[in-house]
Amino acid sequence: MRIDIVTVFPEYLAPARLSLLGKAITAGTLQLHVHDLRDWATDRHRTIDDTPFGGGPGMVMRPDVWGQALDDILVGLPSDTRIVVPTPAGVPFTQRSVEQYVEVPGVILACGRYEGIDERVWEHFGERFAVDQISIGDYVLAGGEVASLVFLEAVARLLPGVLGNEESALDDSFAKQRTGGALEGPVYTKPRSWRGLDVPTVLVSGDHGKVASWRASESTRRTARNRPDLGSLRPEDQE
Ligand code: 6GU
């Protein structure tokens, strides 16, 4: 899968080359291209923003600069490349979204800063490409870079061969294979007794059936406590 990221802070994406993501890049499973938006500015000061029409605080990123950047990056890319715009005003980004992006050949992440990007950019490119405005949660970040790292890591770990243990993705919180997409329960390792606290005995019983049903009930309990909103997504709760 090819991912292009356009940003005014290319150094912000340095962590994308570490750990699991770094390995996926080295292995060729993930092709990552980070672009500096200012390379498409046309003036001596490399200006990429201006004051908002209609007034108000802050600055808005210019459509001409973004337009030229996206034109150049899109040359030769497949027509089913998706343009993803991280913004607090976007559609919630969920594990369901992640599973869909894994299937596409490529994504361009357009990182806005300041008050955002001139909306005409998306009107224009939306005629030829799918443009998805996504939000990673109900809080406001200073720009799309951190959200792009979130996107990258969530998608890359589902690419074939990226996770060391392919099965561990199936067990994850929100994994679709888990009934109703519930949360993962607690986990334990050695030592069996630590500071007076013992590992639940069922986990050392050797009874795989009992272990599985204990884990299922812990998962249900944790989901009800931490995410009562997910409870209503369980198939048995739907009419
Ligand atoms: Cl995707 N971008 C920004 N700038 N802020 C956010 C966000 C994205 N998701 C939540 N807040």
Side-chain angles (χ1 to χ4, degrees):
M1 179 177 190
R2 171 170 171 153
I3 297 187
D4 287 76
I5 304 183
V6 190
T7 168
V8 284
F9 295 115
E11 326 83 73
Y12 226 117
L13 278 303
R17 310 210 178 255
L18 300 174
S19 185
L20 200 79
L21 284 169
K23 279 186 203 135
I25 293 168
T26 307
T29 315
L30 174 67
Q31 297 142 267
L32 179 66
H33 300 264
V34 178
H35 309 271
D36 186 345
L37 180 69
R38 288 192 199 278
D39 291 347
W40 283 276
T42 53
D43 66 323
R44 177 165 79 80
H45 297 110
R46 309 226 292 162
T47 305
I48 47 86
D49 59 356
D50 213 321
T51 54
F53 278 120
M59 300 289 270
V60 175
M61 296 179 111
R62 293 177 57 108
D64 49 354
V65 179
W66 269 105
Q68 194 59 56
L70 293 173
D71 281 346
D72 290 351
I73 293 165
L74 283 163
V75 169
L77 294 188
S79 58
D80 50 349
T81 297
R82 299 185 79 89
I83 299 175
V84 173
V85 189
T87 164
V91 171
F93 180 66
T94 67
Q95 193 65 22
R96 296 294 86 71
S97 331
V98 175
E99 287 158 7
Q100 286 163 16
Y101 285 116
V102 178
E103 308 294 333
V104 309
V107 165
I108 300 180
L109 285 152
C111 301
R113 280 263 149 185
Y114 323 111
E115 294 305 306
I117 301 168
D118 189 301
E119 191 66 22
R120 291 170 293 177
V121 176
W122 315 127
E123 263 178 66
H124 174 78
F125 286 95
E127 290 186 354
R128 284 187 297 138
F129 296 92
V131 177
D132 307 329
Q133 299 185 318
I134 63 153
S135 165
I136 64 162
D138 292 340
Y139 37 77
V140 180
L141 303 172
E145 287 77 11
V146 169
S148 291
L149 282 172
V150 167
F151 179 99
L152 263 179
E153 186 160 310
V155 173
R157 63 186 287 286
L158 293 192
L159 293 173
V162 172
L163 273 192
N165 176 2
E166 297 292 327
E167 267 188 17
S168 67
L170 303 184
D171 240 40
D172 286 341
S173 294
F174 304 113
K176 66 169 167 236
Q177 289 80 1
R178 179 177 292 272
T179 314
L183 306 183
E184 253 192 290
V187 295
Y188 303 87
T189 186
K190 290 181 270 299
R192 203 162 144 170
S193 183
W194 176 77
R195 299 191 180 182
L197 300 170
D198 292 342
V199 169
T201 48
V202 58
L203 297 181
V204 290
S205 68
D207 184 332
H208 300 299
K210 272 193 184 154
V211 168
S213 56
W214 181 84
R215 283 181 173 154
S217 74
E218 288 297 310
S219 162
T220 303
R221 198 157 69 96
R222 183 174 282 190
T223 305
R225 177 177 301 175
N226 294 353
R227 294 295 303 275
D229 57 311
L230 291 183
S232 62
L233 299 177
R234 286 202 302 263
E236 64 268 28
D237 292 346
Q238 289 170 6
E239 57 254 78

